């Protein structure tokens, strides 16, 4: 009993240590100064990581689980409002990944934001961001899940618009906020449907009841029956489409680059965008009951993986290239979820968190050296000046491109194999999309490396003379992230994909178990098979084409662009999604606001309620004031008339 109590306290300490750091840095930052602010924030996240990795993880691996409420703060309409934790292998994996990446970002921020006047405020925000993500992944009920879901959205708004004097930053955080509200509306409807039909918001209770509703239908439109589980799963997935940036709710993610580079790394690697992937994996007992919903997830993920990758080829901003790679890799994770290879999706989430954080922080290191220049066309030859950044960037790029034995190879190859074995509708299209995506990923990844680090320096003379490696506080996180970007794949592929690491945290029906059809005879044979497979060949072809276009024949890209101008313009315009967003979501929100202002505020509240009341009182006063004439005979006449009316009333009742 004491052990359980102790573990509950530790579970609470993991998120609360981050919250404490955020509050102290935010509220007392003016008092404790810069050093004090980053010390408390880093200490809070370090405590969270230490407890997650060295206390909770070994406890879970030993077979211990926890599912229960730690605090009930109210009951409304029969719904218990609880803070509850579900600690299982899926949860603890997310806890370790989130806290480790966040810790690296916190340390890196000391160097990147050292001259920024909002230093303390930034540390407060990123620690709060980590707290919100931890509350999301540790929840055991939909209410707390929604709290964490909205909390990460709120803090991302603050972080994307951190430099609030920039018009582009204001535009970007509003865009992220509005687009995510679209997805969150579907998510909330899904949660409402769960409570309405299942009578509970507790995960375990919902998962236990769900099989009883496989055949249940609902009528959204009169005369049209929909399968209840399909409706619920698609509504929940709409929420995931917003958070995890799936087509067409992806438009906010590239613009999130307006925030400082450390938050770009945190959003794209371990928090916010991974929330949707985690949620679908957590809801695997529900998704397994609807093949229609799985097919929707599969196809949407495939579209995102391929077509968002194309956009990375035409980007010249170093951070935006990496941002579009995030969109594409999130598509791969979503494809895995749709194919019921939930473990492969989470495995790729983990490996991607390491190498994507590495790539963003390496890009930030380049930006520091370039005096905050982000245009790849103005870089070149940086390998001579920034050896540590160069080497670690290569590690991240090779992992992203799926080159063995780097971490990304194992997770990406497993996803492609899983989709190949899937029999769901849309699996054929998804397989072609993820295969083609390998070539596209390699092309834009190596393009970035060649333009930034190779060739002749293209920056101005002043910048070139002052080029040097970033300080140790920036380089050390790069090295620490490079290590798992290399080894995480071949260490964890067996227990996570072909072992029993996740146990009952993820549920897969036998007919959907595509991972069981993948042959795994050990790391060596898996790598050997990968070296002979289509994904590796496509990755090598992508590397070769990037080398030809951007090193050997650098004049060719301009020639190709001129001859394929319509396609190039389509990619630059991002398929028109931004225009659609501006006209429908953003424009619709503005028009709705304008309508409510003109009709609701001006006409009803001001016109009818406030001014109308004043006019009515004024009219009544103008009538009543004639009664107060000041003449005695008027008052006497009124008394006589009143007396006459009273006598008439009582005599003729």
């Amino acid at each position: 009993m004491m052990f359980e109590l102790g573990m509950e306290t530790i579970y609470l300490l993991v998120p609360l240590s981050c919250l404490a750091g955020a509050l102290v840095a935010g509220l007392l930052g003016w008092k404790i100064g810069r050093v004090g602010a980053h010390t408390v924030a880093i200490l809070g996240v370090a405590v969270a990581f230490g407890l997650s990795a060295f206390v909770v993880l070994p406890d879970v691996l030993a077979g211990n689980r926890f599912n229960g409420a730690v605090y009930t703060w109210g009951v409304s309409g029969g719904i218990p409002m609880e803070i509850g934790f579900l600690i299982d292998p899926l949860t603890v994996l997310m806890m370790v990944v989130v806290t480790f990446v966040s810790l690296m970002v916190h340390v890196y921020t000391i160097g990147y934001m050292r001259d920024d006047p909002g230093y303390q405020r930034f540390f407060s925000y990123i620690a709060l961001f980590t707290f919100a993500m931890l509350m999301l992944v540790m929840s055991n009920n939909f209410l707390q899940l929604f709290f964490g879901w909205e909390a990460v959205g709120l803090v991302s708004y603050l972080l994307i618009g951190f430099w609030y004097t920039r018009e582009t930053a204001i535009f970007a955080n509003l865009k992220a906020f509005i687009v995510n509200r679209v997805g969150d509306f579907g998510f909330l409807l899904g949660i409402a449907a769960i409570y309405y039909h299942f009578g509970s918001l507790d995960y375990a209770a919902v998962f236990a009841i769900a099989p009883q509703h496989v055949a249940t239908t609902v009528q959204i439109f009169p005369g049209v029956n929909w399968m209840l589980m399909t409706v619920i799963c698609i509504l929940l997935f709409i929420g995931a489409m917003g958070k995890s940036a799936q087509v067409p709710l992806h438009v906010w993610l590239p613009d999130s680059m307006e925030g400082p580079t450390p938050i770009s790394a945190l959003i794209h690697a371990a928090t916010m965008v991974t929330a949707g992937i985690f949620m679908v994996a957590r809801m695997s007992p529900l998704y397994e009951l609807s093949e229609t919903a799985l097919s929707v997830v599969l196809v949407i993920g495939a579209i995102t993986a391929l077509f968002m990758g194309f956009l990375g080829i035409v980007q010249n901003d170093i951070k935006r290239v990496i941002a579009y790679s995030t969109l594409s890799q999130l598509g791969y994770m979503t494809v895995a979820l749709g194919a019921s290879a939930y473990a492969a999706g989470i495995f790729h989430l983990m490996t991607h968190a390491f190498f994507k954080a590495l790539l963003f922080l390496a890009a930030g290191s380049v930006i520091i050296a370039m005096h905050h220049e982000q245009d790849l066309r103005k870089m070149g030859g940086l390998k001579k000046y920034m050896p540590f950044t160069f080497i670690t960037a290569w590690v991240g790029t090779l992992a992203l491109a799926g080159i063995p034995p780097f971490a990304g190879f194992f997770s990406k190859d497993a996803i492609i194999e899983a989709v190949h074995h899937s029999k769901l509708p849309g699996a054929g299209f998804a397989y072609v999309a993820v295969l083609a995506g390998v070539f596209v990923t390699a092309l834009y990844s190596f393009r970035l490396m060649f333009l930034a680090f190779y060739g002749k320096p293209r920056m101005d003379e002043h910048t070139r003379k002052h080029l040097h490696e970033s300080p140790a506080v920036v380089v050390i996180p790069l090295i620490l992230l490079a290590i798992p970007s290399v080894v995480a794949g071949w260490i964890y592929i067996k227990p996570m994909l072909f072992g029993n690491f996740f146990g009952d945290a993820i549920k897969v029906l036998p007919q959907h178990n595509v991972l069981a059809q993948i042959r795994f005879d050990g790391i060596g044979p898996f790598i050997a098979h990968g070296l002979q497979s289509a994904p590796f060949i496509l990755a090598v072809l992508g590397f070769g084409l990037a080398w030809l276009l951007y090193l050997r024949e650098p004049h060719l890209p301009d020639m190709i662009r001129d001859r394929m101008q319509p396609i190039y313009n389509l990619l630059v315009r991002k398929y028109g999604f931004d225009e659609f967003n501006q006209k429908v979501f953003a424009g619709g929100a503005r028009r709705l606001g304008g309508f409510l202002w003109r009709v609701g505020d001006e006409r009803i509240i001001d016109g009818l309620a406030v001014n109308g009341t004043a006019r009515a009182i004024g009219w009544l006063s103008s009538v009543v004031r004639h009664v107060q004439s000041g003449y005695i005979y008027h008052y006497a006449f009124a008394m006589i008339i009143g007396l006459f009316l009273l006598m008439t009333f009582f005599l003729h009742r």
Side-chain angles (χ1 to χ4, degrees), residues 183-207:
D184 292 355
F185 182 65
F187 188 59
L188 189 59
L189 288 177
I191 294 174
I194 286 172
Y195 181 73
Y196 181 80
H197 290 278
F198 299 164
S200 177
L201 291 176
D202 182 77
Y203 290 166
V206 171
F207 296 161

Side-chain angles (χ1 to χ4, degrees), residues 34 86 240 318 361 395 469 501 542 547 647:
R34 290 175 169 242
L86 171 58
I318 188 171
L361 298 188
V395 171
E469 184 60 91
F501 177 85
W547 173 82
M647 291 176 64

Side-chain angles (χ1 to χ4, degrees), residues 411-423:
S411 54
K412 188 181 289 187
D413 212 58
I415 290 173
I416 295 170
E417 285 289 319
V419 175
H420 183 59
H421 290 292
S422 177
K423 299 295 189 289

Side-chain angles (χ1 to χ4, degrees), residues 189-258:
L189 288 177
I191 294 174
I194 286 172
Y195 181 73
Y196 181 80
H197 290 278
F198 299 164
S200 177
L201 291 176
D202 182 77
Y203 290 166
V206 171
F207 296 161
I209 298 170
Q212 303 171 19
H213 292 273
V214 172
T216 304
T217 60
V218 292
Q219 287 193 5
I220 300 175
F221 303 104
V224 181
N225 290 322
W226 296 70
M227 301 304 295
L228 173 64
M229 295 311 305
T230 299
V231 171
I232 288 174
C233 290
I234 289 177
L235 286 173
L236 292 176
F237 181 63
I238 290 172
M241 288 170 65
K243 278 290 181 290
S244 294
Q246 298 296 291
V247 173
L249 301 181
H250 68 283
V251 292
W252 68 270
L253 190 60
D255 286 352
S256 69
M257 298 299 98
E258 291 298 330

